[in-house]
Amino acid sequence: MTESRPATSGTIAETTAWRPAAHFTARATWLNDPNGLVYHRGTYHLFFQNNPHGSSWGNISWGHATSTDLVNWTELPVAIPCTDEEMVFSGSAVVDHRNTAGFAADTETALVAVYTSATTAADGTGRQAQSLAYSVDDGATWSRYAGNPVLDIGSAEFRDPKVFWYGGDDGHWVMVVVEATEHRVVVYTSPDLKTWQRVSAFGPAHATGGVWECPDLFPLRVAGTQETRWVMIVSLNPGSFAGGSGTQYFVGDFDGVNFTPEHLTASDQLVDYDWLDYGRDYYAAVSFSDVPDGRRFMVGWASNWEYAGETPTSPWRSSMSLVREVDLVRSPDGRHRIRQRPVLPNDASRLDLPPGATAVASGGDSATDDGGAADDGGAAGVLVFSMRVDAGDSATFVLDGGADGEPADGEGLRITVDGNAGTISCDRTGAGDTGFHPAYASVDWAPLPPSDDDADVELRIVVDASVVEVYTGDGLVALTELVFPARPYRRLTRG
Ligand code: FRU
């Protein structure tokens, strides 16, 4: 299927220029949420909500890609295709080391995917229940479990199971799954992935202006200590801080049954809650299972349901975020906040921006005057701009497609740090093609993280074709924004 709407200048080269290098895209099709993130035998598996037959949402199946470095991904055949009866909605994957489900013979180890079967009941109403598929060839091929679904409460709004093993040999499986319209994450336990018992629930809490989706729950280290806290991730659509889809989180404790947050506020202000990302384009973020050494990597879908179906690329549509390594930082106010650090390609161009200067990426292919992009139409690869803003100072940086010494052509992403107000903002109202959907053009902002009064604000801006990720406060605040410029961004100027 071709996209419903042509790109601004209607060229294939243009959408090629918008295809990021290190943010995963499907070769020629639609994607949304990351699913089944798992590390197994030296390989990271990224499954994803995929329409194998088009560039719009539909025929939802689990696409599949693998990587050994979390940056370079290889797309593989669809892992779990939809059928006439069932779409394969979001979920997770585990390595069944103890063969609790009995899917593995002798020397085999089973990977088990736990996903939401989205079906239509005889009376025409939707039905969402949890089902299993398994692989005994390290993820190459997948079979549905004959006893599906394994968890069905007769609901049309019950989805996105995230499963993990809790405890040692005497432990059990835990599933967190949402009752989406109830704003509730429900906890189930199981000895074998096939029989599940409801043991507790968390929510409603904090943002509830839309459905709750794609929960996650995992232990996370507190930087510089031997301590661990548990983190509950809850995606919300619509009703997020930036508008539309977004991902909030809660830090607390989990005892195998109950999750207890360490901080809940009675405030009804979205700014008082904790958000993984304050931009418009970071949703359904979940973490990898089974990564060695207790490390935790997350990835989100770099789009927003408000306009995801209209973004002007073809034939691929939507990308993942960069993979981010996360840990917790104890803030001066005693609360714990998630710190995120993107996994960057080794060949990223790293540019430091001294005060008052301009940084322009060289190498890669340069933009041409006719608004297209040179060579194969690709962008300049991944660029990482780093800079500092003096404490109390205010500064605007303009990211655009200009060359050294050339005046700005007016198109660009404007990033402003306001030291007095304690905010950072991204203005994409003039960032390129903004006309594909009325909800796209926006100015998004975040509070700067708590810090010593006289500390500089440090900024890192990662540019990868149509995805810009902005990090400040050492990764305590992130903003992810899609941009569709006529010329790939490669210059940053202090305005
Ligand atoms: C989140 C979501 C999930 C659902 C999937 C369907 O973006 O709505 O709740 O499982 O997408 O594609």
Side-chain angles (χ1 to χ4, degrees):
M1 200 181 111
T2 52
E3 58 169 333
S4 52
R5 192 193 164 278
T8 333
S9 57
T11 62
I12 291 294
E14 188 172 50
T15 54
T16 304
W18 289 335
R19 190 196 284 273
H23 293 72
F24 175 73
T25 52
R27 263 188 307 274
T29 56
W30 162 272
L31 68 74
N32 58 289
D33 313 355
N35 296 150
L37 305 177
V38 62
Y39 175 86
H40 178 59
R41 295 192 169 141
T43 298
Y44 293 93
H45 292 263
L46 162 67
F47 300 89
F48 52 92
Q49 292 285 281
N50 180 223
N51 179 355
H53 308 299
S55 52
S56 299
W57 189 91
N59 306 309
I60 288 297
S61 305
W62 275 28
H64 188 193
T66 55
S67 173
T68 53
D69 61 6
L70 295 169
V71 169
N72 295 290
W73 295 96
T74 303
E75 189 178 350
L76 301 174
V78 168
I80 314 176
C82 65
T83 65
D84 288 345
E85 289 78 40
E86 175 190 83
M87 288 210 280
V88 189
F89 274 17
S90 287
S92 52
V94 294
V95 184
D96 189 4
H97 293 288
R98 296 172 177 81
N99 198 23
T100 61
F103 292 137
D106 296 345
T107 57
E108 296 171 345
T109 302
L111 294 179
V112 183
V114 189
Y115 66 89
T116 298
S117 296
T119 57
T120 305
D123 64 0
T125 56
R127 178 64 60 87
Q128 297 182 347
Q130 316 322 320
S131 288
L132 308 179
Y134 59 93
S135 169
V136 290
D137 56 7
D138 299 331
T141 60
W142 291 80
S143 307
R144 282 173 161 87
Y145 170 50
N148 282 342
V150 293
L151 178 56
D152 184 357
I153 58 169
S155 168
E157 297 283 354
F158 181 50
R159 58 184 178 270
D160 309 338
K162 172 75 187 215
V163 172
F164 60 93
W165 183 260
Y166 182 87
D169 285 337
D170 297 332
H172 56 260
W173 293 107
V174 174
M175 177 196 291
V176 285
V177 57
V178 289
E179 291 176 3
T181 45
E182 306 299 317
H183 309 116
R184 205 153 46 211
V185 177
V186 188
V187 181
Y188 287 80
T189 58
S190 171
D192 59 5
L193 297 168
K194 294 173 174 169
T195 52
W196 292 95
Q197 190 191 357
R198 180 181 164 131
V199 295
S200 72
F202 170 72
H206 289 184
T208 55
V211 289
W212 277 22
E213 299 185 318
C214 300
D216 198 353
L217 179 61
F218 52 82
L220 199 56
R221 287 180 188 145
V222 181
T225 74
Q226 303 296 317
E227 294 173 31
T228 300
R229 296 285 186 282
W230 283 76
V231 174
M232 173 81 82
I233 305 286
V234 179
S235 282
L236 170 80
N237 176 61
S240 79
F241 179 71
S245 321
T247 308
Q248 58 180 336
Y249 69 89
F250 303 85
V251 179
D253 194 20
F254 180 67
D255 61 7
V257 173
N258 291 293
F259 173 75
T260 312
E262 69 178 16
H263 168 82
L264 284 182
T265 171
S267 165
D268 61 0
Q269 302 297 307
L270 296 179
V271 71
D272 292 330
Y273 310 149
D274 288 315
W275 299 93
L276 267 186
D277 197 289
Y278 289 81
R280 298 292 297 289
D281 298 300
Y282 190 78
Y283 192 58
V286 283
S287 69
F288 280 86
S289 305
D290 259 56
V291 178
D293 305 324
R295 297 176 75 182
R296 194 55 68 167
F297 295 102
M298 300 190 74
V299 60
W301 173 43
S303 197
N304 190 314
W305 280 118
E306 286 195 332
Y307 46 75
E310 308 289 327
T311 53
T313 63
S314 171
W316 61 280
R317 189 179 271 132
S318 287
S319 79
M320 295 300 167
S321 71
L322 289 173
V323 175
R324 300 174 180 179
E325 183 158 16
V326 292
D327 63 3
L328 288 170
V329 170
R330 196 178 153 87
S331 298
D333 61 9
R335 287 167 52 191
H336 296 88
R337 291 191 169 82
I338 295 184
R339 174 169 67 173
Q340 307 178 71
R341 288 166 165 167
V343 180
L344 295 167
N346 290 332
D347 63 357
S349 305
R350 291 174 163 78
L351 300 107
D352 286 324
L353 187 72
T358 290
V360 187
S362 57
D365 40 35
S366 54
T368 57
D369 291 340
D370 61 6
D375 301 325
D376 64 351
V382 177
L383 312 177
V384 185
F385 295 96
S386 301
M387 70 224 68
R388 308 189 82 85
V389 177
D390 290 345
D393 202 0
S394 290
T396 293
F397 302 91
V398 181
L399 188 59
D400 69 16
D404 208 2
E406 190 183 89
D409 64 2
E411 183 181 280
L413 181 72
R414 298 172 66 81
I415 299 162
T416 300
V417 172
D418 185 334
N420 294 318
T423 60
I424 177 169
S425 65
C426 285
D427 178 346
R428 64 179 184 183
T429 55
D433 183 353
T434 58
F436 58 88
H437 193 282
Y440 165 81
S442 59
V443 181
D444 306 308
W445 71 279
L448 291 171
S451 72
D452 300 338
D453 285 344
D454 53 356
D456 288 355
V457 178
E458 148 289 322
L459 270 185
R460 205 142 65 121
I461 302 173
V462 184
V463 183
D464 186 9
S466 52
V467 196
V468 178
E469 300 191 14
V470 178
Y471 296 88
T472 185
D474 200 20
L476 284 171
V477 165
L479 293 100
T480 301
E481 302 283 347
L482 293 182
V483 290
F484 301 99
R487 296 200 289 179
Y489 288 164
R490 50 202 297 276
R491 174 172 72 173
L492 189 72
T493 307
R494 183 158 177 166

